[in-house]
Amino acid sequence: MATGAENQWLKGRVKAVTSGDCLVITALSHNRAGPPPEKTITFSSLMAPKMARRGGIDEPFAWESKEFLRKLCIGKEVAFKVDYKVEAIAGREFGSVFLGNENLAKLVVKTGWAKVREPGQQNQDKVSPYIKELLQLEELAKQEGYGRWSKVPGAAEASIRNLPPSAIGDSAGFDAMGLLAANKGKPMEGIVEQVRDGSTIRVYLLPEFQFVQVFVAGVQAPSMGRRTTNGSVVETVPDEPNGDVSAESRGPLTTAQRLAASAASSVEVSSDPFATEAKYFTEHRVLSRDVRIVLEGVDKFNNLIGSVHYSDGETVKDLGLELVENGLAKFVEWSANMMEEEAKKKLKAAELQCKKDKVKMWANYVPPATNSKAIHDQNFTGKVVEVVSGDCLIVADDAVPFGSPAAERRVCLSSIRSPKMGNPRREEKPAPYAREAREFLRQRLIGKQVIVQMEYSRKVTQGDGPTTSGAADRFMDFGSVFLPSAAKADSDEVTAPPAAAIAGSQPVGVNIAELVLVRGFGNVVRHRDFEERSNHYDALLAAEARALAGKKGIHSAKESPAMHITDLTVSAAKKAKDFLPSLQRIRRIPAVVEYVLSGHRFKLYIPKITCSIAFSFSGVRCPGRGEPYSEEAISVMRRRIMQRDVEIEVETVDRTGTFLGSMWESRTNVATVLLEAGLAKMQTSFGADRIAEAHLLEQAERSAKNQKLKIWENYVEGEEVSNGNTNTVETRQKETLKVVVTEVLGGGRFYVQSAGDQKIASIQNQLASLSIKDAPIIGSFNPKRGDIVLAQFSLDNSWNRAMIVTAPRAAVQSPDEKFEVFYIDYGNQETVPYSAIRPIDPSVSAAPGLAQLCRLAYIKVPSLEDDFGPEAGEYLHTVTLGSGKEFKAVIEERDTSGGKVKGQGTGTEFVVTLIAVDDEISVNAAMLQEGIARMEKRQKWGHKGKQAALDALEKFQEEARKSRIGIWQYGDIESDDEDTGPARKPAGGLEIRGSLNHAYKQKKSRD
């Protein structure tokens, strides 16, 4: 279109009307990138009244002439041809334009809005081909008094607009704040005169004809840049215009204009990508068109900020939203804050979608790194055990057996942040309203059944700077928590429906996060783009808005009520003794359990005297930390009384400042719960006569003994644990685990997994849900020794967590380079190629390995290189891995001399007595009986339990010695100076590791 010859008819669309005789026409189609080419066509042989320039006045009927032509043809398809050019006025093109079958020049002349210019003697060829008809129509218009030929007295003067001072350029006389105050939120009619860039327009506001520049609220289009000019005023135009546009000639520059041009043109700035396209997008929709502008605000430079609405057929559209949705403008927070919340959210959501779809200016957008990751399909139901703060709960999962420590899951409420509780030990006081937020949730949630929808996890790095070790990182899980049976007052305060059910679309109850926000006990987190957030984020924003409007909680001007709590748990014991008389006088004292320190010891808050105390049951003790069932006792107490309202009777205080007495929850003596479950013992040294309801406690303990529950499982009037068989007694209580053997090494060492451990199922589900990608590009992933990776097990091609034990010294050069890996969940080790290794997500690698290294207690087993070492390894493999049995491992001691785990056979080692569930004697005793192991040497300083165990095992060793089997076939092998086992063979023994390696995984694969 831009290169079309004269006298050739072309088609286009009217983009703008600059005066009563001039149009800007764009091509209907084009083959090059960017906006279509355009032409400025002045009607041949016509002259319309001239519009006022800055500081000037209109010629009579200039505005009416322009408006007639604008309303007639703006946005419509026309046919046109160039009749001639006038080089003297910058090559301006004159032509004929048809709208359908109507010649626009004839219509303008006929209605009297332009006069016909007769050709001069020197310009006989510069004339319209329709000059005769135009002259005839002009004569008729004059006779009838149409348009500018009006015969009404004073009509010409009345048609001249009384223009107020322009707000563009020198805006000293323009009161932007006054205009905003008078029209805030009201739609103002206007006509767009110019488009400076995609998000900046210049408008005549009607009916006063105030000429203003309006920045579209909430968005910013790419800049059009600036180019140097010589002898003309600098305009912010692109380096390459949208088409071949001919500019009107300008008059001589004033001194001020030259100075401005000199300053402005000193630096040339190129336009941003998509700037020209964004400008054309806006021109195509609003230039020379009627718009409605809603002023939103004024910036510090007195610029108007407003929303621009235009009509597209019967639909009214928002220019800012259209720009953002088409990837031609970005969301701008500072000006969007002037808008209504709903409009602001639409702009933000539109930009986020464009970024995801990589539309136009976001084509090369790379999302910022985020430390959050979505959690899918991990919804569960449970009871609230503890309210940590106003935005964090601990919920006991119903799917995990009652009393199990693994049942408790910490859930942070998604996308909200409540005031911090502080830390008394670090002298950090609670933030304002932190106590109120926690107490609000405690009263509504403790012990209540809730539905939890897990949504995302976030990695939290400890310390100020970045860390290189994963050990310093922890993961927080976030979700939405719903209370199915909420009070009516709570239900009325949140949006309805609050959420969708876990299965189906029915509401499941009241969103706890909304309850916190609507009472002003928290704020909504403003997430970054692409950062995971609550599935109910809009409802949370609405709840926060209601709290802000009502000035509740942290949004109010009032300070939170001051609470001065005396914490006797961190005070000297003498201060606790000073409180004893007052506590004894009150008798049953209402209290709240703040923390479960152990199964029988708690931290309580007593509201009546505003103090916190350490409290312990009189005459009842649970296993200590690290002892069997201690964690279960703590878990049961947390489920039963954590943060519950209880009553206590204080009897005395011990030397550490801990108060001793009895506790009731819902009229139940809490100590009886532990005793009945076999998780505690009575200590009669305290004096039964001083213990409230001592007879009930004795009955509960007797019941647990009779049923052999927990700590009483081996109770037979003093006989508790038998090592070899049931004839020898060990009186010391020991931790017992149910295990399955997963890998057998030499020397009586092996790996086990805990049977029925929920962590195993959880990690297996995580691994099964992973989408294993193709092998990494050489050089992009260089694992080093000690790194946790995913490795493909060679026997069944399954992917498992593994630690790099050895790696190539140099960077990886080939997919066949070898890495030695240790499978941390099974205990086996193998060499795999680089192509069988993948990086692993930190959320999967964070959990410690499930394989526990063990060795048989009290016996020495030959290593694989020694005589009878292969036979011993084969036997241990047969009775453990080969049998498929479940075992009971009694932990005799823990050996931590192995140091940090670096591969197979290192790390903390459990020294155990291994007994099959259906066998009478231990594997330790059986290996002695087979003559493939011998007893450890007795030590004079050994504890009584060890001496008793060695006594029980001695008869099995003696039986093998007498029978001359195994290592005893040549007689007694021991000497006074020797304690290392049989002498080494000249040639190494049979290597059985290859046959034992991976046996457990082979069996799992077959199953």
Side-chain angles (χ1 to χ4, degrees):
M1 175 176 173
T3 59
E6 293 184 18
N7 300 321
Q8 179 182 353
W9 284 98
L10 303 172
K11 288 188 177 182
R13 190 176 305 279
V14 178
K15 183 181 90 170
V17 177
T18 59
S19 66
D21 60 0
C22 186
L23 304 176
V24 179
I25 304 173
T26 61
L28 297 178
S29 61
H30 63 294
N31 298 323
R32 67 182 186 183
E38 60 186 41
K39 276 185 177 292
T40 300
I41 300 295
T42 304
F43 293 157
S44 301
S45 301
L46 290 192
M47 184 183 297
K50 297 185 184 305
M51 300 283 294
R53 292 183 179 273
R54 184 176 299 176
I57 60 172
D58 291 342
E59 292 184 0
F61 302 103
W63 176 257
E64 289 84 350
S65 173
K66 177 183 175 182
E67 279 294 279
F68 171 79
L69 187 59
R70 183 184 72 83
K71 293 178 180 179
L72 182 65
C73 62
I74 190 67
K76 295 180 180 178
E77 186 177 328
V78 296
F80 70 96
K81 71 179 180 69
V82 176
D83 296 327
Y84 56 89
K85 289 184 181 180
V86 178
E87 299 297 340
I89 48 177
R92 184 185 299 181
E93 296 180 314
F94 293 80
S96 303
V97 183
F98 278 75
L99 177 64
N101 296 322
E102 295 286 345
N103 186 331
L104 290 180
K106 290 183 181 180
L107 290 176
V108 170
V109 173
K110 182 179 178 181
T111 51
W113 296 122
K115 67 179 180 180
V116 180
R117 179 187 302 169
E118 295 187 24
Q121 302 221 349
Q122 296 179 353
N123 296 316
Q124 293 294 329
D125 56 334
K126 311 291 187 187
V127 67
S128 169
Y130 308 99
I131 185 65
K132 292 183 179 179
E133 292 94 327
L134 293 176
L135 289 170
Q136 293 174 1
L137 290 171
E138 180 184 41
E139 193 61 34
L140 289 174
K142 287 180 179 179
Q143 293 175 8
E144 298 295 333
Y146 292 148
R148 64 179 300 168
W149 313 116
S150 175
K151 300 175 182 178
V152 177
E157 293 78 7
S159 68
I160 299 174
R161 295 176 297 164
N162 182 19
L163 298 175
S166 173
I168 300 173
D170 182 11
S171 58
F174 175 60
D175 184 9
M177 289 301 299
L179 183 65
L180 174 66
N183 298 279
K184 173 72 173 176
K186 301 176 184 177
M188 303 175 66
E189 302 292 336
I191 299 173
V192 177
E193 190 72 10
Q194 297 173 21
V195 174
R196 183 168 173 262
D197 58 46
S199 58
T200 309
I201 59 175
R202 293 174 176 177
V203 186
Y204 276 118
L205 296 179
L206 303 179
E208 288 83 10
F209 294 104
Q210 178 70 65
F211 192 46
V212 297
Q213 182 165 274
V214 178
F215 293 86
V216 181
V219 305
Q220 181 179 333
S223 170
M224 291 297 297
R226 184 174 59 217
R227 65 182 181 184
T228 57
T229 57
N230 293 317
S232 61
V233 176
V234 173
E235 297 283 350
T236 51
V237 297
D239 291 336
E240 295 182 2
N242 290 342
D244 297 329
V245 184
S246 299
E248 285 190 27
S249 62
R250 301 180 183 272
L253 294 178
T254 65
T255 303
Q257 286 174 327
R258 284 197 178 93
L259 287 173
S262 174
S265 62
S266 60
V267 178
E268 181 171 349
V269 181
S270 61
S271 62
D272 293 337
F274 296 99
T276 306
E277 189 171 345
K279 181 182 179 184
Y280 175 75
F281 182 92
T282 299
E283 288 176 337
H284 182 66
R285 285 156 178 76
V286 300
L287 183 59
S288 295
R289 299 181 191 237
D290 297 307
V291 295
R292 289 188 177 183
I293 296 175
V294 179
L295 294 181
E296 308 286 1
V298 174
D299 67 10
K300 63 182 180 181
F301 300 108
N302 223 28
N303 294 314
L304 293 173
I305 313 295
S307 300
V308 179
H309 303 274
Y310 67 93
S311 297
D312 183 9
E314 299 296 323
T315 306
V316 177
K317 293 187 176 180
D318 183 338
L319 177 62
L321 183 60
E322 290 286 304
L323 283 165
V324 174
E325 286 179 340
N326 286 275
L328 294 172
K330 64 181 180 180
F331 175 80
V332 179
E333 186 81 28
W334 69 267
S335 64
N337 289 335
M338 302 176 183
M339 307 170 67
E340 293 183 357
E341 195 64 31
E342 189 64 29
K344 179 180 173 181
K345 285 194 292 187
K346 285 183 179 179
L347 288 177
K348 185 67 175 174
E351 183 190 61
L352 184 60
Q353 190 60 47
C354 279
K355 287 178 177 178
K356 290 180 179 178
D357 297 340
K358 296 186 179 296
V359 179
K360 298 284 175 73
M361 62 184 291
W362 306 112
N364 298 318
Y365 177 75
V366 178
T370 176
N371 59 355
S372 62
K373 180 181 178 182
I375 298 177
H376 302 290
D377 303 323
Q378 286 197 29
N379 303 332
F380 66 96
T381 60
K383 286 188 177 180
V384 178
V385 174
E386 180 183 354
V387 177
V388 180
S389 64
D391 57 8
C392 184
L393 311 173
I394 294 179
V395 182
D397 192 342
D398 288 343
V400 182
F402 180 86
S404 170
E408 295 187 4
R409 297 182 63 175
R410 180 180 288 255
V411 180
C412 299
L413 299 181
S414 296
S415 298
I416 76 166
R417 185 177 291 118
S418 288
K420 295 182 179 180
M421 286 301 302
N423 190 327
R425 297 191 181 277
R426 293 201 296 261
E427 298 183 355
E428 294 177 3
K429 294 183 178 180
Y433 292 98
R435 291 184 185 276
E436 289 82 351
R438 186 175 70 172
E439 181 62 15
F440 167 73
L441 290 185
R442 185 190 75 83
Q443 292 181 2
R444 278 161 176 75
L445 296 182
I446 285 297
K448 298 288 182 65
Q449 192 78 11
V450 294
I451 299 171
V452 182
Q453 297 179 348
M454 300 308 298
E455 291 166 335
Y456 62 91
S457 65
R458 192 179 73 208
K459 183 172 73 173
V460 180
T461 303
Q462 303 298 322
D464 296 330
T467 59
T468 57
S469 172
D473 299 338
R474 64 188 179 95
F475 289 84
M476 298 173 65
D477 292 337
F478 292 79
S480 294
V481 180
F482 298 90
L483 185 63
S485 55
K488 186 178 185 301
D490 291 340
S491 300
D492 292 342
E493 290 186 352
V494 300
T495 56
I502 289 178
S505 59
Q506 295 301 314
V508 296
V510 175
N511 190 340
I512 299 304
E514 286 189 61
L515 287 180
V516 172
L517 292 169
V518 83
R519 282 170 171 75
F521 291 144
N523 289 309
V524 178
V525 176
R526 266 53 183 185
H527 294 281
R528 295 178 297 170
D529 291 344
F530 294 93
E531 195 171 49
E532 297 296 336
R533 62 193 66 195
S534 170
N535 295 333
H536 316 282
Y537 194 72
D538 290 344
L540 299 183
L541 290 172
E544 182 186 47
R546 291 200 297 277
L548 280 166
K551 296 183 177 180
K552 295 182 179 180
I554 61 177
H555 309 297
S556 67
K558 297 183 294 184
E559 294 185 2
S560 62
M563 290 187 67
H564 301 288
I565 298 174
T566 304
D567 193 347
L568 298 180
T569 62
V570 295
S571 303
K574 184 180 181 303
K575 191 170 184 179
K577 292 177 181 178
D578 294 339
F579 273 76
L580 180 61
S582 59
L583 292 175
Q584 288 176 325
R585 281 196 303 271
I586 301 175
R587 298 294 295 169
R588 288 205 176 186
I589 310 165
V592 177
V593 180
E594 284 194 327
Y595 200 76
V596 177
L597 302 170
S598 70
H600 60 268
R601 191 165 179 267
F602 317 96
K603 182 179 180 181
L604 307 181
Y605 169 64
I606 303 176
K608 191 168 186 178
I609 57 176
T610 61
C611 75
S612 295
I613 66 170
F615 180 86
S616 183
F617 294 137
S618 297
V620 176
R621 289 295 177 268
C622 295
R625 292 274 184 179
E627 295 181 3
Y629 304 111
S630 66
E631 294 299 323
E632 188 170 344
I634 292 173
S635 180
V636 167
M637 284 295 93
R638 285 176 60 82
R639 290 286 292 267
R640 185 61 188 257
I641 63 170
M642 181 67 185
Q643 292 188 331
R644 306 280 184 103
D645 294 314
V646 297
E647 290 183 325
I648 61 171
E649 279 188 9
V650 175
E651 292 150 11
T652 186
V653 63
D654 66 13
R655 62 183 180 180
T656 65
T658 299
F659 293 89
L660 305 179
S662 301
M663 179 191 295
W664 291 267
E665 193 272 327
S666 300
R667 299 185 179 181
T668 299
N669 191 317
V670 178
T672 62
V673 176
L674 289 168
L675 292 167
E676 286 177 345
L679 295 170
K681 294 180 181 179
M682 286 195 67
Q683 289 185 332
T684 54
S685 60
F686 186 80
D689 57 323
R690 297 170 58 188
I691 303 174
E693 300 180 350
H695 64 290
L696 295 178
L697 303 184
E698 291 170 352
Q699 289 176 10
E701 184 182 54
R702 193 177 306 114
S703 173
K705 285 181 177 180
N706 293 338
Q707 298 178 63
K708 295 187 177 183
L709 299 177
K710 308 296 181 183
I711 64 176
W712 306 112
E713 61 182 341
N714 298 310
Y715 174 74
V716 185
E717 296 298 330
E719 294 186 8
E720 296 186 3
V721 178
S722 176
N723 197 318
N725 57 18
T726 58
N727 295 331
T728 303
V729 175
E730 182 180 323
T731 58
R732 193 164 58 92
Q733 186 71 35
K734 299 173 183 176
E735 183 178 358
T736 303
L737 304 174
K738 288 185 178 180
V739 300
V740 290
V741 178
T742 60
E743 175 74 351
V744 175
L745 311 178
R749 301 165 80 224
F750 52 94
Y751 278 93
V752 299
Q753 282 182 355
S754 294
D757 191 343
Q758 294 292 327
K759 294 179 182 176
I760 298 175
S762 174
I763 288 176
Q764 287 176 343
N765 290 337
Q766 282 182 293
L767 292 173
S769 65
L770 293 177
S771 177
I772 306 299
K773 300 180 179 178
D774 294 336
I777 299 172
I778 300 297
S780 65
F781 171 54
N782 290 299
K784 55 185 180 297
R785 185 178 181 183
D787 287 353
I788 303 299
V789 298
L790 279 177
Q792 190 173 33
F793 184 49
S794 59
L795 294 185
D796 60 6
N797 293 328
S798 63
W799 290 91
N800 302 277
R801 301 192 303 165
M803 174 188 287
I804 301 293
V805 177
T806 59
R809 292 185 178 182
V812 177
Q813 301 293 330
S814 165
D816 297 325
E817 291 200 37
K818 301 299 182 183
F819 289 76
E820 191 170 6
V821 298
F822 167 60
Y823 294 101
I824 62 175
D825 295 326
Y826 297 94
N828 51 332
Q829 189 162 312
E830 70 171 345
T831 300
V832 298
Y834 176 75
S835 59
I837 297 176
R838 300 288 188 276
I840 189 170
D841 191 276
S843 62
V844 181
S845 65
L850 303 176
Q852 174 60 52
L853 179 63
C854 299
R855 81 167 184 266
L856 295 174
Y858 308 132
I859 68 172
K860 286 190 174 292
V861 181
S863 66
L864 293 174
E865 293 81 13
D866 295 328
D867 288 341
F868 295 100
E871 289 85 345
E874 190 68 43
Y875 178 84
L876 185 56
H877 169 262
T878 302
V879 299
T880 55
L881 275 171
S883 68
K885 292 181 180 179
E886 192 174 285
F887 291 84
K888 182 168 65 175
V890 181
I891 301 176
E892 310 293 349
E893 62 177 290
R894 288 176 168 84
D895 183 358
T896 60
S897 61
K900 185 180 178 182
V901 176
K902 295 180 181 177
Q904 192 178 53
T906 65
T908 301
E909 188 174 57
F910 287 0
V911 184
V912 302
T913 297
L914 192 66
I915 311 168
V917 174
D918 55 353
D919 284 352
E920 294 183 358
I921 66 171
S922 65
V923 174
N924 311 48
M927 293 190 73
L928 290 173
Q929 195 175 39
E930 293 292 326
I932 50 178
R934 64 189 180 92
M935 289 172 52
E936 289 180 349
K937 291 184 73 71
R938 293 178 184 268
Q939 305 289 343
K940 291 181 180 180
W941 55 84
H943 58 76
K944 291 182 179 180
K946 182 173 181 178
Q947 299 299 333
L950 290 171
D951 289 342
L953 292 171
E954 192 168 14
K955 74 170 188 176
F956 297 98
Q957 178 170 289
E958 192 61 29
E959 181 182 335
R961 191 201 306 260
K962 289 179 179 179
S963 301
R964 297 288 184 100
I965 60 174
I967 61 177
W968 308 107
Q969 60 182 326
Y970 300 115
D972 196 340
I973 63 169
E974 295 183 300
S975 69
D976 293 338
D977 301 325
E978 182 269 341
D979 191 32
T980 59
R984 293 174 60 89
K985 282 186 178 181
L990 175 64
E991 174 62 57
I992 68 164
R993 181 171 300 191
S995 64
L996 301 184
N997 258 356
H998 321 321
Y1000 177 70
K1001 294 208 59 153
Q1002 281 181 295
K1003 177 179 181 299
K1004 295 287 283 185
S1005 176
R1006 289 194 299 271
D1007 293 343

